[in-house]
Amino acid sequence: MVVCGDDGLAHRLAAELRDVYRQRVVLVVSGDHAETHPSGAPAAPIRAAGLIGRLGAVARGQGATPGGGTGAGPTAGPGPGPGPDDTSGGTPLPVTEVRAAAPTEEALRRAGVDRATALALLYEDDETNLRAALAARRLSPGLRLVVRMYNRKLGQHLEDLLDEAALVAAPGMDRALLEASATVLSDADTAAPALAATAVAGTSKVVQADGLLLRAAERTPPGRGEVPDPGLCTLALLSSTTTDPAGAEGSDSSGVQGPQLLPDDRTVRASTGRGSVVLETVRHAGPTLPPGRLAGRGASLGQLFSARLRWSLVGIVASVLALSVAATVTTDDDALHATYLTLLDLFSIGDPAVGEPLSRQILQLLAGLVGLALLPLLVAGALEALGTFRGHGALRRPPRGLSGHIVLLGLGKIGARVLARLRELDIPVVCVEEDPDARGIPLARSLGVPVVLGDVTEEGVLESAKIHRAHALLAVTSSDTTNLEAVLSGRSLRPDLRVALRLYDDDFATAVYRTLRAAHPDALTRSRSVTHLAAPAFAGAMMGRQILGAIPVERKVLLFAALLVAGHPQFEGRTIAEAFRPGAWRVLALDTATPQSRRPDLANTPSGDQPRLLWELHPGYVLRPEDRIVIAATRRGLAELLAPTGP
């Protein structure tokens, strides 16, 4: 396996292939390479020591220890490391490094691409990955390619182009090999659903693959006498209990009992007081149009005019009606003529009521006063409407009465994807971003999402985002220290604030989680790593199967994959019940389409063309070699399924 890239994802992927899948790995890095954070900054930020000191001071001030109190974090113990699901046993093979300034043909040859099984191109620049993929296809037509692309449309075109190039270079290539010859993935798309779900209580962890939507819903421990809802099946039993709702959710700590992945039915029935993750299927209805966006043929009255202006207009209309009724009562005119005369007086185009009864003269004066109030009201309405349309292209500010929203810190590559996911779930969001030219700014503007421009470390920025009334803070910038400083600032303003922060370093994440849980035992704290969430999907694709997605269960990962039964003795000729191995894999669905009409990749099925998947499988159904199934598997289980046969 050849992995090309210089950021954290490349190193995570190399370790995943080596430790979990037991593969020989060649890592291509730049000549001046040093292990860096995904943002390009050194892995040990300068401000980290100061922030750790602040964390310690906070914990000491609360008088708590990491293991003390109800709902506290994990007790002291070894740092994050591979659990029972994460290793394959034995001594891992070393990762060979090849240094090259760019992934040129000569560099790829030195890495042994012509003899490799798969190549992963993980540079952050889409054009670099595209050029390297075309060069690798020329060197080895049958090479399995996994390409990291942020531009989804370009990625779809690249997949088709690489498959056509493989057919031209090797006309007799087997169809199954061609279907798995090129896979385009995005670390942002892989991690965004989990990051969005982390910040929201009661929402589901989602794996979306255009026409296919799988939802893993967290269920709280059932009370006494309650029957838990199993959904389609139970994917995991959480480490959380009725006495510790957060469990080990926040960190890769092995000091507490971790989640139990893919348990059998007897284990699920025997579990008491533990939360669970159950599988549900939903149909994707597409993103909803958020309120406040000007779209279609026009805008509503509430979008054009402020509430104060609308109430003023109501007052003018009420005054006109009152004057018309008074004119009808005090004169012999009918209601229609009295209203007409009132409007003439209102617009100062009627004749003076000289020589007419006193009541008529008083009503005319009152109508003139109402007309004087109407003129500035009309001018203000015109200016507000004009400002609404002109300000549509500008960033919105958080409204005054906003509450129960998510404060999203960072609108970069990851933040933009997380914002899109949150809006698809119709969750109110306020974004905080320092760079006015960040990737997610145009998306926030088009969705009408309020944005606060400023450095989150400065005073008043979080207050402008209404953090004191927010439901949660989700910090997903590329800087660990910025995310941590934002969380500390948010907790200083509101101690019970739910926080979820993106942290790259596992040891740093464990220290942060334990200290924050000790300092604020009643507040929920989560930490997530984008590379930790994305690496399993890339590794599974390199092993030759289309990975539909990955769902985090605390700090472990469940993978969803579609594969053919043929060539897998664990499935071929077995019933659904016999093919289930607790803790390793479980058959979820069966593709009912004929082999000739199947789409080559369920992960790229258009949303308008739903795949024909059967989810309610009979336990006695016998799997045939031509069947294609959707499975949920642990990383170790998938590694066993995809392991090559023979020595």
Side-chain angles (χ1 to χ4, degrees), residues 149-227:
M149 299 285 286
Y150 182 79
N151 189 324
R152 284 181 271 187
K153 183 177 293 185
L154 178 60
Q156 293 175 359
H157 293 320
L158 180 60
E159 275 193 358
D160 297 336
L161 179 62
L162 292 174
D163 289 343
E164 292 176 3
L167 270 182
V168 171
M173 180 178 292
D174 183 76
R175 175 181 173 84
L177 293 177
L178 175 63
E179 292 173 358
S181 66
T183 304
V184 176
L185 296 175
S186 167
D187 56 334
D189 283 332
T190 304
L195 289 170
T198 300
V200 185
T203 58
S204 301
K205 299 169 182 177
V206 176
V207 171
Q208 183 177 352
D210 292 341
L212 178 68
L213 196 67
L214 303 175
R215 181 171 63 183
E218 288 190 15
R219 301 289 170 81
T220 57
R224 180 175 299 178
E226 296 180 359
V227 178

Side-chain angles (χ1 to χ4, degrees), residues 212-482:
L212 178 68
L213 196 67
L214 303 175
R215 181 171 63 183
E218 288 190 15
R219 301 289 170 81
T220 57
R224 180 175 299 178
E226 296 180 359
V227 178
D229 183 6
L232 289 176
C233 67
T234 300
L235 295 176
L237 293 175
L238 300 174
S239 61
S240 59
T241 63
T242 52
T243 58
D244 184 9
E249 177 78 11
S251 183
D252 274 340
S253 174
S254 57
V256 295
Q257 180 185 9
Q260 187 173 355
L261 304 182
L262 299 177
D264 55 21
D265 294 337
R266 184 172 58 182
T267 304
V268 173
R269 289 193 297 268
S271 64
T272 56
R274 295 181 67 179
S276 62
V277 177
V278 300
L279 180 69
E280 298 175 350
T281 58
V282 295
R283 291 184 178 271
H284 179 47
T288 57
L289 187 67
R293 180 179 178 182
L294 297 178
R297 297 182 179 179
S300 65
L301 185 64
Q303 291 173 298
L304 288 177
F305 306 116
S306 65
R308 183 178 300 177
L309 193 63
R310 295 197 303 271
W311 280 112
S312 300
L313 182 61
V314 170
I316 293 291
V317 173
S319 301
V320 172
L321 291 177
L323 290 172
S324 300
V325 171
T328 303
V329 173
T330 58
T331 63
D332 295 334
D333 292 338
D334 58 277
L336 183 61
H337 189 260
T339 303
Y340 174 69
L341 292 178
T342 301
L343 291 176
L344 290 179
D345 296 334
L346 186 71
F347 294 111
S348 301
I349 57 177
D351 294 331
V354 177
E356 296 190 20
L358 181 62
S359 59
R360 165 64 182 151
Q361 294 176 345
I362 295 175
L363 290 175
Q364 189 177 57
L365 292 175
L366 293 176
L369 291 175
V370 174
L372 291 177
L374 179 62
L375 181 60
L377 187 64
L378 293 176
V379 174
L383 292 178
E384 274 202 9
L386 180 61
T388 299
F389 284 106
R390 293 185 61 184
H392 174 52
L395 294 173
R396 291 184 57 196
R397 300 288 297 175
R400 288 186 177 181
L402 183 64
S403 63
H405 57 286
I406 302 293
V407 176
L408 176 62
L409 173 59
L411 283 177
K413 182 178 66 172
I414 303 298
R417 293 287 195 252
V418 173
L419 173 60
R421 297 291 181 175
L422 290 172
R423 290 308 301 136
E424 287 177 11
L425 295 172
D426 205 20
I427 297 170
V429 185
V430 173
C431 301
V432 179
E433 174 56 52
E434 182 179 7
D435 183 10
D437 298 323
R439 290 188 188 223
I441 292 293
L443 176 63
R445 182 183 294 112
S446 64
L447 293 177
V449 175
V451 178
V452 176
L453 290 176
D455 186 355
V456 72
T457 61
E458 296 179 355
E459 295 290 337
V461 174
L462 283 178
E463 289 89 338
S464 300
K466 315 294 182 185
I467 193 67
H468 55 288
R469 292 201 299 265
H471 172 74
L473 169 64
L474 179 56
V476 294
T477 72
S478 57
S479 171
D480 286 3
T481 52
T482 299

